[in-house]
Amino acid sequence: MSQWYHEATSEWTLDYPPFFAYFEWCLSHVAKLFDPKMLEISKEPYASEKAVLFQRLSVISTDVMLLIGVVSYCRAAGWKGTG
């Protein structure tokens, strides 16, 4: 993971804060089950049906987790909304 901040092979190398780097590291363990080749660092862009499926499912699942967290927080805080 230390190479993510110093890797010069690709312009798409991760350059986000450390928490996001760990989040991406966790996602990479699931990603390799879909298509291990998408984890190889390369100057050439890579796309496959399995890689696109993983990207879509990972966005949907993390958005659902965020929604659950926000709803739980609002309930715990006693927020009733405007309606």
Side-chain angles (χ1 to χ4, degrees):
M1 196 164 14
S2 63
Q3 293 179 358
W4 288 8
Y5 282 88
H6 305 289
E7 177 61 48
T9 306
S10 170
E11 65 181 290
W12 307 114
T13 303
L14 185 63
D15 60 353
Y16 298 102
F19 176 79
F20 193 77
Y22 285 110
F23 174 70
E24 288 289 320
W25 178 75
C26 291
L27 284 177
S28 73
H29 290 290
V30 179
K32 68 183 170 186
L33 300 174
F34 281 78
D35 184 358
K37 194 167 180 180
M38 77 171 114
L39 300 176
E40 296 174 9
I41 298 174
S42 171
K43 288 185 178 186
E44 300 299 318
Y46 177 77
S48 72
E49 288 183 24
K50 290 181 181 181
V52 172
L53 175 64
F54 169 75
Q55 291 170 338
R56 290 177 179 167
L57 291 176
S58 65
V59 168
I60 291 168
S61 63
T62 54
D63 282 353
V64 168
M65 286 191 296
L66 176 62
L67 178 63
I68 291 169
V70 169
V71 168
S72 298
Y73 174 80
C74 290
R75 286 183 179 164
W79 188 70
K80 302 284 184 199
T82 57

